[in-house]
Amino acid sequence: MKNNLNVRNIIILMVILAFTFVFINACKRESYTLATTDDVNITGYLDRYPDQFSLMKQIIDRSGTTGFLAAYGKYTLFTPNNTAITAWLKDKGKAAVADLTVDEAKDMVKFHLLPDTVATNRFTDGKLAQITLYGQYLQTGAINEGGTSSYIVNKLAKITKSNIRVGNGIIHVLDHVLNPATLSLAKTIEANARYSFFTQALKETGFYDSLNVNTTTLKDTTRRFQTIILESDSALKAAGFSSYSSFKSRYSKTGNPQNHADSLWLYMAYHISTGPTYTPDIISSSALYTLAPKEIVTTKFSGQSILLNEDEFNGIVEPGVELNRTYSDVTASNGVQHEVKKPFSIKVRVQTAVYFDVADQPELRSNPKWRGAAAATIPLYANGLSILSGMLFNDLSKINQAENYETVVVPNATRKYNSNDYFNLSMGANVLRAQWIELKTPMLVKGKYKIWICYAQNGSAPLFQVGVDVGRPGEQTLPNLVDFRQLLSSSGVTSANSTLPSADPLMLTNGFKRYMATTADVSGTLKGEQQVTGTGWDQMVGRLAGTADIQTTDRHWIRLSIVGGGNSSSVTWLDMIHFIPVDADQNYPRFSTSGTKFNRP
């Protein structure tokens, strides 16, 4: 009986297990795989190598940051080794880490820590993009010693081991402790005897106070960091200023240097810009926007020299001043300072017309095929990118590379292009064609301009909307659509009346003009070539896009965006863009295939 009971119990148990198995599988939830890592976190790595990092671990413990540096996250720690920390403690008069206050330890850790993972492949020759937890930027660069290249941080600490990946970030090992800047820009400048003239000018204009701030309490975050370009006493003396009083008398005209209309205030404002701009930032930008209203400092990198305000204006190169790199990239608690070798001031320019030949750009000039006897087709793109620094397309990666994105030099029986070249652009509604193109203009002096798009008419070309600085400060959309299919006769002037005295005024009234010299125009012994009447007289068209108010003297971007017309085989023949002050002559000068200007008779 007992055996029968045991057998029955076993059978019952088996039935229960079977039902349980079926139930579990019928109601089975989606399973998740939990992944773990054996990688230690930052503090674990320091603990693993006490012979190198025991002192850094002690500082982290004393600072009270062990908890989050042991937890998961994304950090980059620049950790000095024990030798570096021992030397740093000695310089501070400390015998041991225990002699540091908690705040001193905390500041040391925060200055060596970034709240992101930054490997050396993200280093630049300049400041890192991510700011430290202390609130100042680190500078990185490279040095070569004995044929071996190394990364260097803040011009002091060499990275001896890099890109150590741990569970919560990256560690870079340093041979020196990094020290944050403790003085403001104003105090840093004042402490240097090279800049006594500039220090006095900063105080009298009020800029000393605005450059002497605690960034942690500053409400205006745009002024948290600033950049100042200094002129040394020796440079000012070489320029003829024997004393500060002579410098002040030259520039201060109102008697009150704190008056924003005073020339000395404007002079100093022109040397200051917002944001921490290090030399690599200067090299990569075309201009610095200063505190002087609507005034910029243009920048250029030539050879190994950084030049400020070296511009080509109306075909004339205006010499600039060179940055003194020995005394530049000096970090302060609220920004960075640079020095120039010669003084510079706001350039006073008179607004003047600019006749922009779109095929006259530096990269094209250097091509042996550019104009002249050897002239031929020059592609405007290579490997999916524009070869011109002053040209942008909406997305060249989507464009059929077989299309004619090129500047063409081909004489034409009826179409007479300025300097005998133009941009032949495959722009149209087709997805394999560009929908917009941007060109960087020559230097424009601030003021109001009428903007003329000069083109050769093409019956399959698109309709364009013209904009200035689209997507940038001061963006403007011009009111008149420019239809490259239109002839000059769209103005109401016909071949029969195109020679009448009223023809040019009528065209201007309706937003059209001749821009190529006609056979009736004379310059010295030369005559223009464009037909006055008959076949082809109206194929070279100047079309008014509208009036733009240029707020800053600078190079700007002009965009042509397709808004209609065009097809899968359309091309755009763009020759020139004219920027003419609103009160200036809009009809002359005119141009020729030789590039000669024909002024008003």
Side-chain angles (χ1 to χ4, degrees):
M1 185 74 178
K2 186 175 182 180
N3 290 338
N4 289 338
L5 182 61
N6 289 340
V7 170
R8 186 174 63 182
N9 289 342
I10 292 171
I11 293 172
I12 292 171
L13 179 61
M14 292 177 65
V15 170
I16 292 172
L17 289 173
F19 274 101
T20 303
F21 178 81
V22 172
F23 178 79
I24 290 173
N25 281 276
C27 303
K28 186 176 182 180
R29 294 177 181 272
E30 183 180 356
S31 62
Y32 295 92
T33 300
L34 298 178
T36 59
T37 177
D38 292 330
D39 293 342
V40 295
N41 287 334
I42 288 175
T43 53
Y45 182 85
L46 300 180
D47 279 333
R48 182 178 289 179
Y49 301 100
D51 57 321
Q52 297 180 57
F53 307 119
S54 61
L55 294 181
M56 187 64 183
K57 180 58 167 56
Q58 290 177 35
I59 293 174
I60 290 174
D61 290 341
R62 186 156 183 76
S63 71
T65 56
T66 305
F68 76 84
L69 287 180
Y72 286 98
K74 293 173 64 177
Y75 305 104
T76 298
L77 178 67
F78 292 86
T79 180
N81 56 30
N82 284 345
T83 302
I85 293 178
T86 299
W88 175 69
L89 290 171
K90 183 178 179 180
D91 288 342
K92 293 177 69 67
K94 311 286 186 180
V97 170
D99 295 333
L100 295 172
T101 66
V102 172
D103 285 341
E104 285 176 326
K106 189 176 295 184
D107 286 345
M108 188 275 192
V109 173
K110 288 163 64 178
F111 191 60
H112 289 75
L113 192 64
L114 304 180
D116 193 9
T117 50
V118 182
T120 53
N121 62 3
R122 291 175 59 188
F123 285 9
T124 61
D125 183 17
K127 73 176 188 294
L128 292 177
Q130 183 63 267
I131 197 169
T132 68
L133 291 183
Y134 184 84
Q136 290 183 19
Y137 288 93
L138 298 180
Q139 295 181 66
T140 55
I143 57 171
N144 189 289
E145 294 178 337
T148 302
S149 294
S150 304
Y151 290 107
I152 190 168
V153 183
N154 282 9
K155 302 181 179 181
L156 169 71
K158 186 191 301 182
I159 294 181
T160 59
K161 190 174 182 180
S162 62
N163 301 325
I164 304 167
R165 294 191 175 271
V166 293
N168 60 346
I170 291 178
I171 296 174
H172 305 293
V173 181
L174 304 178
D175 67 352
H176 284 78
V177 174
L178 304 175
N179 292 302
T182 57
L183 298 179
S184 66
L185 280 168
K187 293 290 187 182
T188 303
I189 296 165
E190 184 179 27
N192 195 325
R194 293 178 62 82
Y195 308 120
S196 66
F197 286 16
F198 237 71
T199 299
Q200 189 64 25
L202 288 172
K203 290 180 176 179
E204 294 202 24
T205 55
F207 284 113
Y208 184 93
D209 293 334
S210 64
L211 295 176
N212 186 33
V213 293
N214 183 345
T215 59
T216 59
T217 61
L218 196 63
K219 294 182 180 180
D220 183 358
T221 56
T222 63
R223 299 292 180 88
R224 183 180 180 187
F225 296 105
Q226 299 187 69
T227 298
I228 184 168
I229 300 174
L230 302 168
E231 294 157 4
S232 66
D233 293 355
S234 58
L236 289 168
K237 288 177 180 178
F241 302 107
S242 59
S243 63
Y244 171 72
S245 60
S246 65
F247 173 69
K248 178 182 176 181
S249 63
R250 166 66 176 82
Y251 287 104
S252 183
K253 301 302 182 184
T254 68
N256 178 14
Q258 294 194 22
N259 183 338
H260 290 197
D262 187 80
S263 298
L264 182 58
W265 187 93
L266 289 168
Y267 185 96
M268 300 304 290
Y270 192 57
H271 288 69
I272 304 171
S273 60
T274 58
T277 307
Y278 288 82
T279 51
D281 304 315
I282 295 175
I283 291 170
S284 62
S285 65
S286 61
L288 301 175
Y289 286 79
T290 73
L291 298 189
K294 300 179 182 178
E295 297 291 350
I296 65 162
V297 175
T298 61
T299 63
K300 179 186 292 185
F301 189 54
S302 178
Q304 295 300 311
S305 300
I306 301 174
L307 303 175
L308 307 182
N309 282 351
E310 173 126 331
D311 307 314
E312 183 175 331
F313 187 65
N314 272 351
I316 300 174
V317 176
E318 300 176 345
V321 296
E322 183 181 351
L323 214 63
N324 188 342
R325 300 182 76 166
T326 302
Y327 295 97
S328 294
D329 284 337
V330 177
T331 298
S333 63
N334 61 333
V336 58
Q337 67 183 54
H338 306 284
E339 182 184 301
V340 284
K341 295 182 177 181
K342 293 181 180 179
F344 69 99
S345 58
I346 297 173
K347 287 191 175 183
V348 179
R349 294 192 178 101
V350 178
Q351 189 186 9
T352 186
V354 173
Y355 304 98
F356 178 28
D357 181 353
V358 297
D360 187 2
Q361 302 203 38
E363 294 88 350
L364 295 178
R365 289 180 213 160
S366 63
N367 193 307
K369 293 183 178 181
W370 187 70
R371 296 181 178 169
T377 297
I378 304 174
L380 292 180
Y381 64 86
N383 301 319
L385 298 173
S386 171
I387 65 168
L388 305 181
S389 59
M391 173 184 283
L392 297 173
F393 290 98
N394 61 315
D395 190 351
L396 269 175
S397 66
K398 295 180 180 178
I399 293 170
N400 186 346
Q401 297 290 297
E403 301 291 354
N404 293 324
Y405 275 85
E406 51 200 21
T407 176
V408 183
V409 184
V410 180
N412 188 287
T414 56
R415 292 182 174 89
K416 305 294 182 180
Y417 301 94
N418 174 56
S419 299
N420 212 31
D421 58 12
Y422 63 98
F423 276 178
N424 181 41
L425 304 169
S426 297
M427 303 187 70
N430 188 288
V431 293
L432 292 178
R433 289 170 179 267
Q435 303 303 299
W436 57 259
I437 181 177
E438 277 189 326
L439 296 168
K440 199 164 193 179
T441 72
M443 182 75 70
L444 299 175
V445 176
K446 59 186 177 182
K448 292 184 177 181
Y449 294 85
K450 289 187 176 181
I451 298 181
W452 296 86
I453 307 299
C454 301
Y455 63 87
Q457 182 271 345
N458 183 343
S460 66
L463 178 69
F464 290 96
Q465 179 88 63
V466 180
V468 178
D469 291 328
V470 176
R472 304 172 180 89
E475 175 179 349
Q476 299 172 68
T477 300
L478 304 187
N480 301 334
L481 298 181
V482 179
D483 191 342
F484 278 55
R485 297 168 296 187
Q486 287 185 313
L487 298 159
L488 277 178
S489 56
S490 300
S491 67
V493 174
T494 65
S495 177
N497 63 19
S498 63
T499 59
L500 297 178
S502 60
D504 285 343
L506 177 59
M507 282 191 278
L508 288 175
T509 299
N510 291 313
F512 291 83
K513 72 169 182 174
R514 303 179 194 263
Y515 77 96
M516 291 299 291
T518 71
T519 54
D521 291 313
V522 179
S523 178
T525 60
L526 297 176
K527 282 191 174 184
E529 302 162 82
Q530 185 65 34
Q531 296 288 332
V532 183
T533 61
T535 303
W537 76 274
D538 57 355
Q539 289 183 332
M540 303 305 297
V541 184
R543 182 70 172 98
L544 179 64
T547 299
D549 188 1
I550 302 300
Q551 293 290 311
T552 56
T553 299
D554 193 5
R555 297 181 68 190
H556 294 265
W557 287 95
I558 187 161
R559 177 183 290 195
L560 277 66
S561 301
I562 292 176
V563 293
N567 54 51
S568 61
S569 62
S570 62
V571 289
T572 299
W573 296 327
L574 178 63
D575 191 11
M576 299 184 76
I577 304 175
H578 294 178
F579 303 87
I580 305 178
V582 292
D583 56 355
D585 187 348
Q586 303 295 315
N587 213 18
Y588 282 89
R590 291 173 178 168
F591 300 84
S592 71
T593 57
S594 65
T596 303
K597 286 185 180 180
F598 287 71
N599 295 315
R600 180 176 289 278

